[in-house]
Amino acid sequence: MEEQHEDHGHSVAAWTAVGIILLGSAIASVAVLLPNIVLGIVGAVVIIAGAIAGKVMSMAGYGSTGHHAQAGAVVDAPDELGAETLGKS
């Protein structure tokens, strides 16, 4: 019996997006401490750029190759023969 492991987004694209978004969040946080609207806008732009970079990298093949949750049978539902499928997707 083959074990199936979920990937949870552990990919270069996901980590790049998270890193850029964290940088943007840090910039925006500094903008709150030093009331500076320009720095806040820069932080927001960096956050959006991080999300876009992650999506572009994922489309370029650096994302996870896991299956989608809606593909296949419903989790924990018996198959046609009545066999238990607990934990399978």
Side-chain angles (χ1 to χ4, degrees):
M1 181 177 257
E2 178 183 332
E3 285 189 38
Q4 294 181 351
H5 298 281
E6 295 293 328
D7 192 8
H8 300 296
H10 295 283
S11 67
V12 175
W15 283 108
T16 301
V18 167
I20 295 171
I21 290 170
L22 282 173
L23 177 65
S25 297
I27 293 170
S29 297
V30 170
V32 170
L33 292 174
L34 312 168
N36 189 337
I37 190 75
V38 174
L39 201 56
I41 292 171
V42 169
V45 168
V46 171
I47 291 170
I48 293 169
I52 292 170
K55 182 63 176 175
V56 168
M57 288 183 71
S58 179
M59 291 173 22
Y62 292 101
S64 66
T65 57
H67 67 283
H68 297 286
Q70 294 178 353
V74 176
V75 176
D76 298 334
D79 65 5
E80 292 80 20
L81 301 175
E84 186 176 332
T85 59
L86 183 64
K88 294 182 182 179
S89 58

